[in-house]
């Protein structure tokens, strides 16, 4: 059996995940709410709730925390445009997909809707296939955006942990002072990576009470690959303390 294309696997996974998405339909007409919900449920979207009016929509957003909002433009208590502005004022909801339903659409009105924060619009009467297509598109985009944010956050945390570990390879101030004092010298040091992590490393090699060595390494490149080499070098150097008195022998071993 031939394996499916990688891209097909990724898309299928994204599509499967969006069917559990929370969808909020905000419309003051209960019949319209049921009609939209019926279309979505027939397309496997099951987690659908209603808000009958603008203020009800704002309350429901706080409790239901939808992944997508289907919002009617004309509602008696608070217009869809005003609901949209209130939602976009909440930092956690700046990327919430908002699909505005409107019976009259012209260029000027479209500009006003997008300025208020609408992600897209649907013309009334609603076309079922268009509704499902646009809902699917925006939920997939939201899912992929969240995956990207999670990946960046995880990567950032891992790089920060690696940066701290790499910094811990450097000789601490107390060790520097003790070695310098026994040799009648002073040591001043400063180290800063060009990015989160890099290929620069230095250290001191205690030889005897009067002598110590200093090594400085600069691996080509930046980032993870160069940083891994610094960890390898640090481990190798400290495994061969017997060669500290013989710099040439130590370099030969490392090479």
């Amino acid at each position: 059996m031939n394996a499916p294309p990688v891209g097909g696997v990724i898309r299928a996974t994204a599509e499967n995940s969006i069917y559990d998405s929370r969808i909020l339909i905000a419309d003051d007409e209960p019949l319209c709410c049921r009609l939209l919900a019926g279309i979505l449920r027939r397309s496997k979207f099951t987690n659908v709730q209603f808000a009958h009016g603008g203020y009800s929509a704002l309350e429901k957003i706080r409790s239901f925390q939808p992944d997508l909002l289907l919002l009617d433009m004309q509602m008696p208590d608070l217009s869809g445009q005003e609901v949209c502005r209130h939602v976009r004022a909440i930092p956690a909801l700046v990327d919430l997909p908002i699909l505005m339903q409107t019976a009259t659409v012209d260029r000027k009105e479209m500009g006003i809707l997008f300025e208020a924060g609408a992600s897209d619009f649907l013309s009334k009467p609603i076309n079922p296939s268009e509704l499902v297509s646009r809902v699917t598109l925006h939920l997939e985009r939201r899912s992929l955006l969240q995956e990207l944010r999670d990946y960046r956050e995880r990567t950032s945390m891992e790089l920060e942990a690696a940066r701290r570990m790499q910094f811990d390879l450097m000789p601490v101030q107390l060790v520097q002072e003790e070695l310098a004092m026994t040799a009648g010298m002073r040591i001043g040091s400063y180290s800063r990576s060009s990015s989160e992590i890099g290929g620069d490393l230095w250290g001191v090699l205690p030889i005897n009470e009067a002598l110590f060595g200093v090594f400085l390494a600069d691996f080509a490149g930046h980032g993870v690959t160069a940083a891994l080499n610094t960890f390898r070098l640090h481990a190798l150097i400290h495994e061969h303390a017997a060669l500290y008195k013989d710099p040439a022998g130590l370099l030969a071993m490392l090479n």
Side-chain angles (χ1 to χ4, degrees):
M1 180 180 294
N2 293 328
V6 174
V9 172
I10 293 174
R11 181 170 178 80
T13 302
E15 288 178 349
N16 290 336
S17 66
I18 66 172
Y19 292 128
D20 295 326
S21 299
R22 298 180 296 273
I23 300 175
L24 177 62
I25 301 174
D27 198 312
D28 61 306
E29 293 289 342
L31 180 60
C32 292
C33 289
R34 292 197 297 271
L35 175 63
L36 294 173
I39 296 171
L40 292 172
R41 284 168 178 156
R42 283 197 298 273
S43 298
K44 301 180 183 179
F45 295 99
T46 57
N47 200 354
V48 181
Q49 292 194 18
F50 306 138
H52 301 295
Y55 288 111
S56 173
L58 294 177
E59 293 177 2
K60 200 73 175 180
I61 286 170
R62 296 188 184 94
S63 60
F64 184 49
Q65 298 182 352
D67 298 303
L68 182 140
L69 174 61
L70 275 170
L71 183 61
D72 187 39
M73 179 67 176
Q74 302 295 334
M75 292 184 289
D77 58 344
L78 193 65
S79 71
Q81 181 180 331
E82 287 303 315
V83 172
C84 201
R85 293 187 188 279
H86 281 289
V87 171
R88 293 305 187 213
I90 302 173
L93 300 177
V94 293
D95 62 349
L96 173 69
I98 301 177
L99 275 61
M100 197 81 76
Q101 309 169 59
T102 177
T104 58
V105 179
D106 55 36
R107 290 184 178 275
K108 182 178 180 180
E109 187 176 64
M110 286 175 60
I112 294 173
L113 293 180
F114 289 129
E115 182 182 359
S119 307
D120 207 343
F121 71 93
L122 291 165
S123 301
K124 290 184 174 182
I126 299 299
N127 180 291
S129 60
E130 181 183 8
L131 169 65
V132 173
S133 296
R134 291 182 185 269
V135 166
T136 300
L137 173 65
H138 285 281
L139 285 175
E140 284 180 347
R141 285 180 175 177
R142 179 176 174 83
S143 177
L144 292 173
L145 180 61
Q146 187 58 51
E147 287 180 12
L148 177 60
R149 286 178 173 169
D150 291 344
Y151 172 77
R152 291 186 62 182
E153 181 179 355
R154 184 173 67 252
T155 301
S156 179
M157 292 174 61
E158 291 174 353
L159 286 174
E160 174 59 24
R163 187 196 66 80
R164 291 195 301 267
M165 291 172 62
Q166 190 176 32
F167 186 79
D168 288 341
L169 297 180
M170 311 291 183
V172 298
Q173 187 65 32
L174 180 60
V175 171
Q176 295 181 44
E177 292 175 354
E178 290 177 349
L179 289 172
M181 185 178 300
T182 57
M185 302 176 64
R186 290 185 299 171
I187 300 177
S189 65
Y190 175 77
S191 179
R192 180 179 179 181
S193 179
S194 61
S195 56
E196 288 89 350
I197 53 178
D200 299 327
L201 179 69
W202 80 278
V204 291
L205 309 175
I207 297 174
N208 56 43
E209 292 184 357
L211 296 174
F212 65 89
V214 177
F215 71 89
L216 176 66
D218 182 5
F219 283 94
H222 300 283
V224 176
T225 302
L228 287 174
N229 279 323
T230 64
F231 284 97
R232 294 173 61 199
L233 176 66
H234 186 271
L236 282 171
I237 288 177
H238 285 79
E239 284 178 5
H240 295 81
L243 294 175
Y244 289 175
K245 294 181 179 180
D246 180 14
L250 180 59
L251 286 174
M253 180 278 300
L254 294 174
N255 287 331

